[in-house]
Amino acid sequence: AVITISEFSKREITERLRVDPARVHVIPPGIDAPPAAASGDAAHVLYVGSIFNRRRIPDLVAAFSLVAARHPDAHLHLVGDDRSFPSEHIGELVANGPHAARIHWHRYVPDAELRELYRQARAFVFLSEYEGLGLTPMEALAGGIPALLLDTPVARESCGDAAVYVARGAVADTAASLEALLYDERLRSRLLTEAPRTLARYDWTRAGRDTLQLLESMA
C-alpha cells in the first residue's frame, strides 16, 4: 500500500509511476493552526515557504507593489530562504522595487517570530504552480487568515470555497484579488465562514486512526 496526502498526489503517483490506484490511499494530514489573526491598523500580507521558481515570488512582489501604490498601510512579509534555480535574485527584486521599505524578507525566523507574523497577517498569498498539497495556506486559514492561491487542481482540493484563486502570470488580477482580500469585509467574512467545512477533513486524530487501520489491514 502507498499512503499519500491528497487526491492530486494520488493521480500523480498512479499516472506517472504506474501504480495500481487500488493500492494508493489518500489520508490527509492534520493542520496545526497558528495563533488567531489580530485586527490592527496595517494590512499585512504573508507568504511562508521556501522560495522556489514554481512559487512565483516575482509575481507576488509585482502584484503587491500595485496594491502598495494605492494603500500606504499595506506590508508584505516573505518568510523562507531563496532556493530558486535559476536564481530569481529575491534580495535585488525587493530592494530595487518602488516599495522596498514595505516588503520584508525574512530568510529564517524562529517559531515565536513566525507565530507573531501569522498573528498580525490579514491575508496569505501562495502562488505555487505545483504542490503535493500545500499546507501553509490551510494553516493560515485555520488561524483566521484568508488566502489567495494560484488556480491549480490541488489548491482547489485543499481550500475549496474558502480561498480566492488567480491564473498563472495574471499580475493585475492578482493585485485586484489581493486588494479585495485585504479590504473587502464581505469577501473576507464569506471565505472565513467556509473555512471550518474546508478544514474538517484535516484532522490528526482521523489521520492517525486511518493510518493505523491501513497498517493493520496490510499485516
Side-chain angles (χ1 to χ4, degrees):
V2 177
I3 296 174
T4 190
I5 59 176
S6 67
E7 294 293 341
F8 172 77
S9 291
K10 178 176 180 175
R11 290 194 298 273
E12 293 286 275
I13 291 166
T14 57
E15 293 172 6
R16 295 176 182 271
L17 303 180
R18 298 174 182 168
V19 177
D20 180 358
R23 294 179 55 201
V24 183
H25 303 262
V26 177
I27 301 179
I31 299 298
D32 297 318
S39 58
D41 296 331
H44 288 268
V45 180
L46 181 62
Y47 163 90
V48 177
S50 295
I51 295 174
F52 299 110
N53 303 68
R54 71 176 188 269
R55 291 178 174 169
R56 308 189 70 87
I57 298 302
D59 285 359
L60 169 54
V61 171
F64 173 78
S65 296
L66 295 176
V67 175
R70 295 190 290 269
H71 298 278
D73 64 331
H75 290 258
L76 171 62
H77 294 269
L78 305 172
V79 180
D81 58 333
D82 185 2
R83 301 184 185 182
S84 60
F85 183 82
S87 176
E88 294 179 329
H89 305 290
I90 300 302
E92 295 177 16
L93 179 69
V94 171
N96 296 332
H99 303 286
R102 288 190 278 148
I103 301 178
H104 315 277
W105 182 24
H106 313 265
R107 292 165 179 80
Y108 169 81
V109 295
D111 288 346
E113 187 175 341
L114 180 60
R115 287 193 295 269
E116 179 60 22
L117 289 170
Y118 269 109
R119 191 190 67 81
Q120 70 182 11
R122 187 167 173 82
F124 192 93
V125 182
F126 199 68
L127 302 178
S128 181
E129 298 177 11
Y130 187 90
E131 300 291 328
L133 182 61
L135 294 176
T136 52
M138 291 188 292
E139 290 173 352
L141 191 59
I145 309 163
L148 174 63
L149 308 177
L150 200 69
D151 196 352
T152 64
V154 73
R156 292 276 183 177
E157 177 184 345
S158 62
C159 289
D161 293 333
V164 175
Y165 301 91
V166 292
R168 182 175 62 181
V171 172
D173 289 346
T174 301
S177 296
L178 178 56
E179 186 174 33
L181 202 62
L182 288 170
Y183 301 105
D184 185 336
E185 292 298 338
R186 289 202 301 176
L187 172 62
R188 292 174 55 80
S189 178
R190 178 177 64 79
L191 296 175
L192 294 177
T193 298
E194 291 287 341
R197 183 175 65 175
T198 297
L199 296 171
R201 295 180 61 224
Y202 302 96
D203 176 79
W204 281 122
T205 300
R206 181 185 302 166
R209 180 198 65 211
D210 292 351
T211 301
L212 180 59
Q213 288 178 350
L214 180 60
L215 291 172
E216 290 174 337
S217 71
M218 293 296 102

